[in-house]
C-alpha cells in the first residue's frame, strides 16, 4: 500500500489536501457490499442502481459526528453539500446543495427537508434543520441532481432523515456529553415492541454558553415514532415531534478586521439590545402504507403543526412569527410489464400542503417589547399553498439499460393579508406560480460492478414568504410590505455520473453537473436594520464535479473521502461575472478509522472494544456579498481553512448493559477560520468565526428492559 499526502494553501484560497492511498497488489475483501435501499426520486431503489447522486449516512456515522446537535456535522461528508455551522443557534446552520440555498440569511432555502416521510419544508421552500432529531435518527439520505426536482418547489436537493424503529428487545438508552464553552448534551431514549406495536421515544436537551459573547443557548426536543402493523399488509407510522428553544442569543456578525482581532466578541449592539431568538414547534403526523398485492402499494400521509418564533434585533426592533401548517399526500407505487417482458417500476401521487404565518413586528427597548404601541410596524397574515401532482417511471430496456422518466406539475400560491389599518399601501393580495418539472435519464449497466448514467431536468423555485416580505430596490422606495412582483426562478439541470465497485470492499461514485438558472433571486436592497428586499435580476451558471470514495482495507481499517468542485457565477445583472456568495469552489472531507475488534456491517450494533477516527475537513475561500468586494472598508472574502478532528470510543459490556465512553477534539491544530457568512450584510459585518480547538467527552449506556 502506497500513500501520499498532498497539502497546499495560498492566500484567500485553499488547494485541497488529501490522503491518497493506492493498492499496489490487491484490496482485502473485508466486507461484502450491502444493498442499501434509498429514495431514488420518488421510487425506492438500490443505491448502486439509482440513476442519481444519492449519499447515504448510517446510524454509526451520525453517532460518530459528536453530540448530534448540528446537522452540519453529519452533512459535511456528503459531496455537493455545503454545510456551514454558524455556531449561532439563533440563525440555524446554513446548508446549500450545488449552490441552491446559499443566499439564506437564516434557516434553509431551496432544499426539501423530509423527516420520516413528513415534509419539514414549507410550500414556499423555507425550513429549519434544528428540528431534526439526530439522537434518534437511524439514517439520512441526500439526493442531488435532476431527480430531486420531482419533490417540487425549491428542490435544489432533498435531505431525508429516518428515525430508528423499535427492535424485538425492549431497551433504554442514556447519553450524556460535556464540552468546551459550557456545552452539555443529554439524551434519554426508550424503545419497545409489544405485539404489532413498536415505539421509540427520545427526549434530548442541549445547552451551551458559547465561544462568543452573547451566544448562550438552551433547547430541548421530544421525538417519538410509533409503528402499528394493523394487518400483515397494512402499517401505520405515527410521528410526534416537539422542539423548544427558550432562547438562543445572537452574537451577530463581525467585520473582517474585528474577526482577526477579537473573534470571540459579539457584533455591535448585541449585548445592549439583547439580540436573541425564541422558537417552539410542535408537529404530529401519520404515514399509512398498504400493500394491495406484490405489484401495487399505496401510501398516504397526513400532518400538521405550529411554530412560533420571536426575535429581538440589534436595531431595537422585534419580529414575531406564528405559523400554522398542515398537509397531506397520496401515492401509488407499482410494477408492470411493458413492451413484452420489459419491467417498469412506477409511482404517481399528489401533494397538498399549506402554511399560514402571522407576521408581527414593533419597537423594542433593551431586548423587550415596547410597552406602548408594540404592533406599530407590522401585522399581517402570509400564506403559502401548493397543489402538486407527480409521476415517475423506471423502464427496464433489456439487461443493459434503464430509462428514467418523471414529471411534477406544481401550483404554488403566496398570499398576504395586512391587518394594519394605518398602512395606506398595505400589500394585501396574492400571486400564483405554476410550473411543470420534467425529468429524463438513462442508466447503462456497463458491468456488474459499473453503472453509468445521465439525466436532465427542469425545475423552479418560488420566493419564500420571508424573501417576499419586503419590497423596493433602494432606500427611497423600500417598504415593509409583501412583494407580489417577484417571479419564480427556473433552472435546467444536466448530470452525468458513474458508480463503480472496484472490489467487494471499495466504492467510487462520481458526478459532473451543469445548471443554468433564469430570474435568480438576489438581494436588491439591505436596509440598515438588516431587512432585505429581493429582485429577479440575474442569470446564474453552476458547473461542478463531485466524487465520493469508500474503502475497507482490512476488517480493522477503513477510510472514506468526498470532494466537491463548483464554479457558481452570475451571468447577468449588476453582478455579472461575479461568484455567487457563500459557495466555496472546493471542499473536501476525508476520514480514516480504526476498530480494535473490526467494524460491524451496517445495521448491526458496533463491536465492543476500542475505536478511533481522524477526520480532515477543508474548504476554499468564499465570498460574502454579490459584489465580491475586497476594499478595506468592505472586505467580503472569507478565507479557506483546513481542520482536523479526532474521535475515540471505547465500548464495554457490563452485565446486561452495553456502555460506551467517548472523547473528541475538534480543530486539533487550533486553526482560525470563518465558519459561516452573512450574505450581503448591510454594514459589512459578514463573518461568523469558527471555533478554536475544542473538546468534548461523552458517556452512553444501552440497557435491555
Amino acid at each position: 500500500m502506497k500513500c501520499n499526502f498532498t497539502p497546499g494553501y495560498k492566500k484567500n484560497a485553499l488547494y485541497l489536501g488529501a490522503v491518497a492511498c493506492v493498492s499496489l497488489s490487491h484490496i482485502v475483501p473485508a466486507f461484502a457490499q450491502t444493498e442499501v435501499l434509498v429514495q431514488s426520486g420518488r421510487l425506492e431503489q438500490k443505491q448502486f442502481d439509482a440513476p442519481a447522486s444519492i449519499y447515504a449516512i448510517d446510524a454509526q456515522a451520525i453517532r460518530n459526528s459528536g453530540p448530534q446537535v448540528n446537522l452540519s456535522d453529519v452533512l459535511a461528508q456528503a459531496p455537493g453539500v455545503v454545510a456551514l455551522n454558524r455556531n449561532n443557534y439563533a440563525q440555524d446552520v446554513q446548508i446549500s446543495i450545488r449552490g441552491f440555498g446559499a443566499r439564506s440569511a437564516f434557516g434553509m432555502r431551496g432544499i426539501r427537508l423530509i423527516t420520516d416521510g413528513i415534509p419539514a419544508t414549507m410550500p414556499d421552500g423555507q425550513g429549519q434543520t434544528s428540528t431534526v432529531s439526530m439522537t434518534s435518527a437511524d439514517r439520512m439520505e441526500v439526493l442531488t441532481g435532476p431527480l430531486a426536482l420531482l419533490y417540487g418547489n425549491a428542490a435544489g436537493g432533498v435531505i431525508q432523515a429516518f428515525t430508528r424503529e423499535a427492535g424485538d428487545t425492549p431497551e433504554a438508552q442514556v447519553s450524556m456529553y460535556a464540552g468546551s464553552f459550557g456545552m452539555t448534551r443529554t439524551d434519554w431514549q426508550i424503545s419497545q415492541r409489544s405485539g404489532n406495536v413498536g415505539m421509540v421515544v427520545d427526549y434530548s436537551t442541549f445547552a451551551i454558553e458559547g465561544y462568543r459573547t452573547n451566544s448562550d443557548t438552551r433547547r430541548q426536543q421530544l421525538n417519538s415514532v410509533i409503528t402499528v402493523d394493523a394487518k400483515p399488509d397494512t402499517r401505520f407510522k405515527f410521528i410526534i415531534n416537539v422542539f423548544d428553544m427558550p432562547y438562543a442569543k445572537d452574537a451577530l456578525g463581525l467585520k473582517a478586521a474585528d474577526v482577526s482581532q477579537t473573534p470571540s466578541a459579539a457584533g455591535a449592539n448585541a449585548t445592549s439590545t439583547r439580540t436573541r431568538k425564541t422558537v417552539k414547534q410542535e408537529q404530529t403526523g401519520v404515514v399509512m402504507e398498504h400493500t394491495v398485492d406484490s405489484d401495487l402499494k399505496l401510501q398516504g400521509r397526513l400532518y400538521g403543526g405550529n411554530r412560533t418564533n420571536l426575535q429581538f434585533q440589534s436595531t431595537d426592533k422585534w419580529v414575531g412569527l406564528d405559523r400554522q401548517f398542515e398537509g397531506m399526500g397520496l401515492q401509488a407505487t407499482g410494477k408492470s410489464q411493458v413492451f413484452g417482458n420489459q419491467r417498469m417500476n412506477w409511482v404517481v401521487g399528489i401533494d397538498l400542503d399549506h402554511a399560514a404565518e402571522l407576521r408581527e413586528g414593533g419597537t423594542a427597548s433593551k431586548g423587550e417589547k415596547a410597552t406602548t404601541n408594540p404592533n406599530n410596524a407590522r401585522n399581517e397574515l402570509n400564506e403559502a399553498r401548493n397543489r402538486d401532482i407527480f409521476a415517475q417511471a423506471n423502464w427496464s430496456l433489456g439487461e443493459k439499460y434503464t430509462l428514467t422518466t418523471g414529471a411534477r406539475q406544481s401550483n404554488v400560491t403566496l398570499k398576504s393579508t395586512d391587518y394594519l389599518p394605518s398602512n395606506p399601501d398595505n400589500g394585501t393580495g396574492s400571486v400564483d406560480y405554476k410550473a411543470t418539472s420534467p425529468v429524463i435519464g438513462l442508466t447503462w449497466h456497463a458491468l456488474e460492478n459499473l453503472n453509468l448514467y445521465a439525466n436532465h431536468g427542469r425545475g423552479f423555485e418560488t420566493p419564500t414568504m420571508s424573501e417576499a416580505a419586503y419590497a423596493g430596490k433602494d432606500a427611497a422606495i423600500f417598504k415593509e410590505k409583501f412583494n407580489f412582483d417577484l417571479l419564480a426562478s427556473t433552472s435546467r439541470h444536466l448530470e452525468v455520473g458513474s458508480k463503480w465497485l472496484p472490489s467487494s470492499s471499495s466504492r467510487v461514485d462520481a458526478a459532473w453537473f451543469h445548471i443554468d438558472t433564469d430570474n435568480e433571486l438576489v438581494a436588491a436592497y439591505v436596509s440598515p436594520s438588516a431587512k432585505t428586499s429581493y429582485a429577479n435580476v440575474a442569470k446564474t451558471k453552476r458547473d461542478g464535479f463531485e466524487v465520493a470514495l469508500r474503502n475497507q482495507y482490512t476488517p480493522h481499517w477503513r477510510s472514506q473521502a468526498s470532494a466537491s468542485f463548483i464554479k457558481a457565477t452570475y451571468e447577468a445583472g449588476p453582478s455579472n461575472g461575479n461568484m455567487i456568495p457563500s459557495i466555496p469552489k472546493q471542499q473536501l472531507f476525508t476520514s480514516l478509522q480504526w476498530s480494535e475488534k473490526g467494524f460491524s456491517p451496517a445495521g448491526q450494533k458496533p463491536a465492543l472494544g476500542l475505536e478511533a477516527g481522524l477526520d480532515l475537513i477543508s474548504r476554499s475561500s468564499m465570498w460574502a456579498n454579490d459584489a465580491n468586494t475586497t476594499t478595506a472598508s468592505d472586505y467580503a472574502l472569507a478565507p479557506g481553512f483546513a481542520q482536523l478532528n479526532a474521535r475515540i470510543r471505547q465500548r464495554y459490556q457490563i452485565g446486561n448493559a452495553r456502555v460506551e465512553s467517548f472523547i473528541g477534539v475538534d480543530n486539533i491544530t487550533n486553526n482560525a477560520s470563518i465558519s459561516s457568512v452573512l450574505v450581503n450584510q448591510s454594514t459589512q459585518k459578514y463573518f461568523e468565526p469558527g471555533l478554536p480547538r475544542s473538546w468534548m467527552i461523552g458517556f452512553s449506556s444501552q440497557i435491555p428492559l
Side-chain angles (χ1 to χ4, degrees):
M1 181 71 66
K2 180 181 179 182
C3 296
N4 297 308
F5 178 68
T6 307
Y9 297 87
K10 76 173 184 178
K11 184 179 179 182
N12 296 333
L14 173 66
Y15 290 103
L16 297 177
V19 177
C21 297
V22 181
S23 175
L24 301 181
S25 56
H26 66 283
I27 297 176
V28 179
F31 67 98
Q33 289 289 337
T34 55
E35 295 292 351
V36 179
L37 294 177
V38 295
Q39 291 296 318
S40 174
R42 306 299 298 233
L43 284 170
E44 190 175 66
Q45 193 174 6
K46 293 178 182 178
Q47 184 183 13
F48 179 68
D49 292 330
S53 298
I54 303 177
Y55 195 87
I57 304 171
D58 62 20
Q60 189 172 355
I62 296 172
R63 305 295 173 263
N64 287 340
S65 68
Q68 302 139 66
V69 177
N70 299 302
L71 205 59
S72 55
D73 296 340
V74 176
L75 294 179
Q77 62 185 274
V81 178
V82 177
L84 307 180
N85 181 6
R86 300 180 186 275
N87 300 301
N88 180 349
Y89 297 93
Q91 302 298 344
D92 210 348
V93 298
Q94 185 180 21
I95 296 175
S96 64
I97 296 180
R98 295 184 176 178
F100 289 90
R103 69 174 180 265
S104 175
F106 61 91
M108 190 171 65
R109 307 285 188 275
I111 301 168
R112 306 302 293 185
L113 179 62
I114 302 171
T115 58
D116 294 305
I118 302 296
T121 301
M122 297 297 103
D124 61 339
Q126 65 181 342
Q128 283 78 28
T129 63
S130 58
T131 55
V132 176
S133 176
M134 295 175 60
T135 51
S136 55
D138 178 64
R139 72 184 195 281
M140 298 182 65
E141 297 175 9
V142 181
L143 170 65
T144 60
L147 284 185
L149 304 175
L150 296 177
Y151 285 84
N153 178 30
V158 180
I159 300 171
Q160 297 209 54
F162 301 87
T163 301
R164 77 181 188 94
E165 294 190 8
D168 294 332
T169 303
E171 185 179 70
Q173 297 184 29
V174 178
S175 300
M176 297 185 179
Y177 290 87
S180 299
F181 317 117
M183 188 274 288
T184 60
R185 171 73 154 166
T186 69
D187 181 62
W188 314 80
Q189 193 173 141
I190 294 177
S191 65
Q192 183 172 354
R193 182 169 294 279
S194 178
N196 63 345
V197 178
M199 177 182 67
V200 173
V201 179
D202 178 89
Y203 175 74
S204 60
T205 68
F206 170 71
I208 191 169
E209 294 176 6
Y211 164 61
R212 299 179 61 197
T213 302
N214 202 63
S215 58
D216 188 9
T217 299
R218 298 290 184 274
R219 71 188 200 189
Q220 54 199 6
Q221 185 170 16
L222 171 68
N223 187 57
S224 178
V225 173
I226 301 171
T227 56
V228 180
D229 296 309
K231 295 180 180 179
D233 56 5
T234 305
R235 158 174 276 212
F236 291 90
K237 180 185 290 187
F238 299 92
I239 301 103
I240 301 172
N241 187 286
V242 178
F243 176 83
D244 184 17
M245 187 168 69
Y247 65 86
K249 296 181 181 179
D250 190 349
L252 305 177
L254 297 175
K255 290 186 175 182
D258 297 328
V259 170
S260 61
Q261 293 177 5
T262 314
S264 62
N269 300 324
T271 55
S272 61
T273 58
R274 298 171 58 207
T275 52
R276 68 192 188 279
K277 180 182 288 185
T278 298
V279 177
K280 186 169 185 179
Q281 176 169 309
E282 299 173 345
Q283 177 174 302
T284 59
V286 58
V287 177
M288 183 275 293
E289 297 176 344
H290 175 67
T291 301
V292 178
D293 54 40
S294 60
D295 293 333
L296 180 61
K297 294 182 179 180
L298 304 177
Q299 184 188 87
R301 61 175 172 85
L302 185 67
Y303 72 96
N306 61 79
R307 179 183 179 91
T308 57
N309 185 325
L310 178 61
Q311 181 178 12
F312 289 90
Q313 302 172 331
S314 61
T315 53
D316 275 328
K317 301 288 184 180
W318 65 270
V319 176
L321 305 175
D322 190 346
R323 179 189 302 162
Q324 304 290 324
F325 56 92
E326 64 280 331
M328 62 172 293
L330 296 170
Q331 70 180 54
T333 306
K335 302 176 183 178
S336 303
Q337 297 287 332
V338 295
F339 306 126
N341 294 324
Q342 303 301 322
R343 301 183 308 275
M344 181 181 72
N345 296 336
W346 55 268
V347 60
V348 296
I350 183 171
D351 290 330
L352 303 171
D353 305 284
H354 174 256
E357 187 171 85
L358 181 64
R359 175 183 292 268
E360 297 179 293
T363 303
S365 177
K366 297 180 180 180
E368 298 295 339
K369 292 182 180 180
T371 56
T372 59
N373 197 17
N375 291 331
N376 62 349
R378 200 151 197 180
N379 185 4
E380 66 189 41
L381 181 66
N382 303 149
E383 295 183 74
R385 183 188 307 273
N386 72 271
R387 301 170 296 280
D388 297 4
I389 57 174
F390 61 88
Q392 181 185 348
N394 290 348
W395 309 67
S396 177
L397 307 178
E399 296 297 325
K400 286 291 187 179
Y401 299 94
T402 300
L403 177 66
T404 299
T405 59
R408 184 179 183 104
Q409 175 62 45
S410 298
N411 295 270
V412 179
T413 299
L414 301 184
K415 180 181 179 181
S416 179
T417 304
D418 197 307
Y419 297 129
L420 197 62
S422 60
N423 188 355
D425 187 9
N426 59 23
T428 294
S430 66
V431 58
D432 294 322
Y433 301 97
K434 297 182 180 180
T436 299
S437 301
V439 173
I440 187 168
L442 182 68
T443 303
W444 176 30
H445 308 285
L447 300 170
E448 288 188 0
N449 65 339
L450 176 64
N451 283 338
L452 305 175
Y453 67 89
N455 49 45
H456 181 271
R458 188 170 68 240
F460 86 116
E461 180 179 352
T462 72
T464 66
M465 288 189 287
S466 294
E467 290 168 338
Y470 305 99
K473 297 182 179 181
D474 54 48
I477 59 175
F478 178 81
K479 293 182 179 180
E480 294 195 21
K481 55 167 282 188
F482 204 82
N483 187 355
F484 299 105
D485 296 328
L486 297 178
L487 304 175
S489 64
T490 58
S491 54
R492 295 167 299 283
H493 304 244
L494 176 63
E495 178 183 56
V496 178
S498 64
K499 300 184 179 184
W500 180 38
L501 307 177
S503 75
S504 61
S505 58
S506 58
R507 174 176 181 145
V508 181
D509 289 8
W512 168 86
F513 63 88
H514 173 82
I515 305 170
D516 288 313
T517 69
D518 292 315
N519 292 319
E520 182 87 14
L521 280 177
V522 299
Y525 174 73
V526 182
S527 73
S529 58
K531 297 172 181 177
T532 304
S533 63
Y534 289 85
N536 301 98
V537 295
K539 295 176 180 288
T540 68
K541 181 172 68 175
R542 299 170 172 91
D543 287 295
F545 177 75
E546 302 160 357
V547 62
L549 307 92
R550 304 191 189 204
N551 191 47
Q552 184 155 339
Y553 309 101
T554 75
H556 304 276
W557 287 93
R558 69 184 183 187
S559 68
Q560 70 180 88
S562 64
S564 303
F565 306 87
I566 181 173
K567 183 179 180 181
T569 58
Y570 290 114
E571 297 297 305
S575 301
N576 185 22
N578 289 349
M579 305 299 297
I580 301 176
S582 193
I583 304 175
K585 285 186 177 181
Q586 304 164 342
Q587 190 171 251
L588 173 72
F589 172 88
T590 62
S591 178
L592 181 64
Q593 302 167 25
W594 172 81
S595 175
E596 177 187 7
K597 299 294 180 65
F599 293 100
S600 301
Q604 296 185 18
K605 287 187 176 181
L608 300 176
L610 189 64
E611 203 171 275
L614 185 66
D615 298 343
L616 168 66
I617 301 173
S618 58
R619 195 174 69 212
S620 63
S621 59
M622 60 184 179
W623 293 99
N625 68 359
D626 292 330
N628 294 182
T629 52
T630 56
T631 62
S633 61
D634 188 8
Y635 192 83
L637 183 63
F641 69 91
Q643 179 175 309
L644 278 171
N645 304 328
R647 304 280 187 266
I648 299 176
R649 294 180 181 271
Q650 176 71 53
R651 300 184 181 95
Y652 315 84
Q653 190 72 37
I654 303 177
N656 291 332
R658 184 182 177 90
V659 180
E660 179 178 305
S661 56
F662 167 89
I663 184 170
V665 180
D666 287 345
N667 196 7
I668 295 174
T669 56
N670 201 33
N671 288 348
S673 66
I674 300 298
S675 62
S676 182
V677 294
L678 303 175
V679 176
N680 293 315
Q681 211 278 339
S682 60
T683 56
Q684 295 79 51
K685 297 169 185 174
Y686 302 116
F687 305 113
E688 293 184 294
L691 299 182
R693 183 188 300 115
S694 57
W695 59 269
M696 68 194 84
I697 57 174
F699 165 86
S700 67
S701 178
Q702 300 176 357
I703 306 170
L705 297 177

